[in-house]
Amino acid sequence: MTQNQSVLEWMEKMKELVCPDRVIWIDGTQEQLESLRAEACKTGEMIKLNEEKLPGCYLHRTAVNDVARVEGRTFICSRSEEDAGPTNHWMEPSKAYEMLYGIAKNSYRGRTMYVIPYSMGPVGSPFAKIGIELTDSIYVVLNMSIMTRVGNEVVKTLGNSSDWVRGLHCKCEIDEEKRYICHFPEDNTIISVNSGYGGNVLLGKKCFALRIASFLGKNEGWMAEHMLILGIQNPLGEIKYVAAAFPSACGKTNLAMLIPPEFYRQKGYKIWTVGDDIAWMRIGPDGRLWAINPENGFFGVAPGTNVKSNPNALATTKSGTIFTNVVHNLDDNTVWWEGLDHNPPKNAVDWKGRPWDGTSSKEKGAHPNSRFTAPAKNCPCISPEFENGRGVPISAIIFGGRRARTTPLVYQSRDWNNGVFVGSIMASETTAAATGAVGVVRRDPMAMLPFCGYHMGDYFKHWIDMGERLGDKAPKIFNVNWFRLDDEGHFIWPGFGDNLRVLEWILQRCEGKADAVDTPIGFVPKADDINLSGLDLTVDTLKTILNVDSADWAKEADGIEEFYQKFGDKLPKELKAELKKLKEKLA
Ligand code: OXD
Ligand code: MN
């Protein structure tokens, strides 16, 4: 397949370690993928779904102890502990290699080693980077071939370069006590053992495109962010792009594929999806910030996805999709999940593989973190720029989280450094995307807490440096919160397509066309400036979620101060100054 010495040498070493019975290079052809699908169905690893209703779609169930990313077992193995920083788990690299090699040793005996050459970003794009993942899982091969560009073209593009990311995945025994997801940023290497769940094993995604890439970005002067990218087309046909960071399972996929409310559709508004999870951003020749989505598919949370919440995502999953840990409807060999519709199947199998009657069962049929892996090209609103290797210019960066109170529907930072502050203090209630308690407020700076591959204080500084380089071409920075609750615990803002009303204000602010109220935390819209046409929400109710409560924010400022202490000397002085300014404004 290749003459590349760095690839051949590493593969030899890995082969000696894991001892596969055979080695198969993934060439990216449909014939090869088809034969792997057939093999996975034969062994029961996957189930072929109804070819008429869901052509080319499959169902897979993970082990019951292996259903989400394991942040507690995810390590940054930089040479110095300080470089991993206070928000990451760290392991000394030689110790980590020794432990991981011990676990991986002979683990491919009786199994096949699949070699997946993949590109993050359109093959050959100046933004793109290449990885090779070794895996003993057909499920991983098939998911990687949806989520990334795989095969011969990638090998050709790599040529003799040694600039690629090494990835070793071993299912081993799916033993959660020996599950480790380890990153060696200085060696461009990822090793993942004892898991078969997406975020832990599709090494191009969180491991490479965020943890390793954030480290590369800092050294090379670009940014790898946990952000969706979408284009907003106005009635004049102009398209403006925004990138938005939200913690896991806070609606990034829904926002990225938003359908404008009727009122906006009639006026001619349209949304184009560039990405739903990860953005790689560089300063372009024109001095603006340009972004690509390094992925080629969507690994979306299934529960809650329906014709109302996200019809585009649903349409995207209608062919060529792998479903993981959802309900299997035995009557018509299709899939179901909570929140899909009000007709759960009676004759079904739940995500654990047990008979399940959705009309009477008290238990959920699909795991809350069950997923679809769907090709981006299926998406009805995929941007015409999706394959464009130069990326799209970003007008605004939006941060957001799930907060029942305190944070208003939207506010704009005063300038770039204040915007970095806003991103650094992001907080959200936890979801099922990672193991651990759900619904607890945790600080998640730029939604990168589980994904930053180096010291978060240095990451903040990198943001500040990028702002300095961008100067007056820098995108404007905003924060949104769709999740404010009323006293009865109901969401006040309708969310979903109506979020376009907030995006419209954001773009108007970028163009200097909308007014705002100056508050201690930044600029908040005048209630009249958010278009409520066609919406059953009064201006007075809107005012309640635009409100900035000084007492709540004084508490918030104390929480920020405590959080910032983690970073010690590495906290950039610019952020210290921003916190001081906030406290002064609140006093
Ligand atoms: C994801 C996550 O899967 O953030 O995108 O957990
Ligand atoms: Mn994500």
Side-chain angles (χ1 to χ4, degrees):
M1 263 304 265
T2 181
Q3 301 304 317
N4 183 313
Q5 277 311 308
S6 61
V7 174
L8 294 174
E9 276 166 26
W10 178 74
M11 273 193 56
E12 245 352 273
K13 191 168 153 198
M14 292 302 110
K15 262 166 53 186
E16 255 171 50
L17 174 73
V18 297
C19 280
D21 278 15
R22 70 194 79 75
V23 176
I24 295 181
W25 278 80
I26 299 306
D27 59 18
T29 60
Q30 275 315 312
E31 296 73 44
Q32 188 187 46
L33 293 173
E34 202 44 50
S35 78
L36 290 172
R37 288 181 196 116
E39 191 179 331
C41 288
K42 221 160 93 195
T43 60
E45 190 176 350
M46 298 213 305
I47 296 167
K48 168 113 184 78
L49 296 167
N50 185 321
E51 183 59 22
E52 256 160 50
K53 293 188 174 174
L54 294 169
C57 292
Y58 294 81
L59 169 65
H60 171 80
R61 294 187 201 104
T62 63
V64 292
N65 70 3
D66 188 28
V67 292
R69 288 184 292 98
V70 279
E71 293 176 10
R73 309 194 70 94
T74 298
F75 291 80
I76 301 298
C77 308
S78 42
R79 282 193 279 276
S80 136
E81 180 168 10
E82 152 112 294
D83 289 341
T87 56
N88 282 311
H89 299 285
W90 175 81
M91 218 186 286
E92 199 275 317
S94 60
K95 280 213 182 93
Y97 280 125
E98 195 185 318
M99 177 194 72
L100 293 163
Y101 287 168
I103 294 171
K105 197 167 174 47
N106 297 333
S107 68
Y108 280 39
R109 279 237 164 103
R111 300 183 185 182
T112 302
M113 171 186 275
Y114 299 99
V115 184
I116 316 171
Y118 65 95
S119 174
M120 298 312 293
V123 180
S125 143
F127 276 85
K129 292 206 173 272
I130 288 175
I132 297 183
E133 175 166 355
L134 307 180
T135 180
D136 52 349
S137 157
I138 295 182
Y139 172 76
V140 167
V141 172
L142 297 175
N143 274 271
M144 283 293 284
S145 69
I146 296 172
M147 293 305 297
T148 73
R149 284 101 172 155
V150 304
N152 292 343
E153 279 304 300
V154 178
V155 177
K156 239 191 267 160
T157 305
L158 180 63
N160 283 323
S161 168
S162 56
D163 182 14
W164 53 280
V165 172
R166 289 112 183 102
L168 173 66
H169 165 238
C170 309
K171 274 192 298 193
C172 303
E173 307 307 322
I174 315 285
D175 177 352
E176 53 191 326
E177 300 300 320
K178 292 190 186 148
R179 183 169 301 152
Y180 292 97
I181 322 297
C182 293
H183 307 72
F184 301 82
E186 289 128 344
D187 301 346
N188 259 350
T189 296
I190 304 158
I191 302 180
S192 163
V193 292
N194 275 301
S195 176
Y197 167 76
N200 298 330
V201 297
L202 308 179
L203 299 186
K205 193 174 180 61
K206 303 299 185 182
C207 301
F208 179 172
L210 287 176
R211 298 195 189 97
I212 297 284
S214 60
F215 174 81
L216 295 174
K218 181 197 59 151
N219 293 337
E220 297 169 3
W222 55 281
M223 305 166 93
E225 299 297 333
H226 192 198
M227 289 181 179
L228 65 90
I229 309 165
L230 66 80
I232 302 153
Q233 181 173 328
N234 70 17
L236 299 173
E238 297 159 344
I239 306 179
K240 291 270 168 11
Y241 295 91
V242 304
F246 299 87
S248 306
C250 280
K252 282 211 301 296
T253 308
N254 292 346
L255 185 62
M257 298 181 189
L258 164 164
I259 295 197
E262 179 64 26
F263 166 81
Y264 282 85
R265 280 207 303 276
Q266 275 177 8
K267 286 208 313 195
Y269 277 90
K270 201 168 166 27
I271 294 293
W272 298 105
T273 308
V274 181
D276 80 326
D277 196 40
I278 299 176
W280 282 1
M281 305 194 285
R282 285 171 196 267
I283 300 178
D286 62 357
R288 290 188 295 171
L289 192 62
W290 290 71
I292 65 158
N293 169 11
E295 301 191 280
N296 201 27
F298 306 114
F299 184 62
V301 177
T305 305
N306 59 51
V307 272
K308 259 192 91 191
S309 68
N310 196 339
N312 284 321
L314 204 58
T316 306
T317 64
K318 292 297 177 198
S319 65
T321 293
I322 300 171
F323 297 94
T324 303
N325 290 344
V326 298
V327 173
H328 189 194
N329 180 347
L330 296 178
D331 283 337
D332 64 353
N333 193 22
T334 59
V335 288
W336 190 86
W337 50 78
E338 277 69 25
L340 173 64
D341 55 35
H342 296 297
N343 303 310
K346 200 172 161 48
N347 178 24
V349 176
D350 73 0
W351 71 272
K352 291 183 178 167
R354 303 172 306 183
W356 186 77
D357 176 350
T359 61
S360 62
S361 176
K362 298 265 174 304
E363 279 184 57
K364 285 195 159 92
H367 188 275
N369 191 36
S370 53
R371 299 279 178 150
F372 54 79
T373 316
K377 67 172 176 359
N378 282 3
C379 179
C381 56
I382 195 73
S383 165
E385 303 297 330
F386 178 73
E387 291 288 350
N388 162 0
R390 288 188 323 276
V392 294
I394 298 298
S395 299
I397 289 175
I398 303 172
F399 296 119
R402 186 182 281 273
R403 295 297 299 271
R405 49 184 293 150
T406 310
T407 311
L409 177 65
V410 55
Y411 67 103
Q412 181 185 1
S413 64
R414 296 172 190 287
D415 53 33
W416 180 271
N417 281 358
N418 181 238
V420 177
F421 173 73
V422 169
S424 76
I425 65 168
M426 257 172 73
S428 193
E429 286 139 29
T430 50
T431 69
T435 50
V438 170
V440 178
V441 173
R442 77 165 179 183
R443 299 254 161 227
D444 188 352
M446 284 81 169
M448 284 290 278
L449 185 71
F451 305 122
C452 182
Y454 60 104
H455 195 300
M456 188 136 283
D458 291 335
Y459 168 79
F460 294 153
K461 180 72 172 80
H462 180 49
W463 266 82
I464 288 175
D465 293 345
M466 289 295 292
E468 218 161 86
R469 284 173 57 206
L470 284 158
D472 59 6
K473 303 249 175 59
K476 304 278 184 278
I477 302 181
F478 298 79
N479 193 87
V480 298
N481 174 25
W482 319 129
F483 301 99
R484 282 276 283 256
L485 298 181
D486 65 16
D487 292 339
E488 275 87 52
H490 301 124
F491 291 118
I492 300 172
W493 180 248
F496 301 108
D498 289 306
N499 293 336
L500 179 57
R501 299 169 193 275
V502 174
L503 296 180
E504 186 185 29
W505 181 79
I506 287 175
L507 289 184
Q508 284 170 356
R509 286 294 293 173
C510 292
E511 290 163 17
K513 289 186 188 153
D515 213 345
V517 184
D518 193 348
T519 78
I521 62 170
F523 301 113
V524 170
K526 294 197 154 147
D528 291 338
D529 286 343
I530 299 281
N531 193 331
L532 298 180
S533 308
L535 197 61
D536 187 19
L537 186 97
T538 65
V539 173
D540 280 341
T541 309
L542 177 63
K543 279 184 186 158
T544 66
I545 50 174
L546 291 175
N547 179 41
V548 176
D549 183 284
S550 293
D552 277 353
W553 274 95
K555 262 191 250 142
E556 192 73 9
D558 290 341
I560 296 164
E561 186 152 32
E562 195 188 319
F563 178 62
Y564 269 4
Q565 275 166 10
K566 266 185 186 229
F567 304 105
D569 292 350
K570 292 263 193 183
L571 184 75
K573 62 180 185 322
E574 292 83 353
L575 295 189
K576 255 187 240 165
E578 290 297 330
L579 176 58
K580 188 158 170 272
K581 273 191 261 173
L582 174 65
K583 289 191 136 189
E584 282 164 6
K585 282 184 197 293
L586 289 166

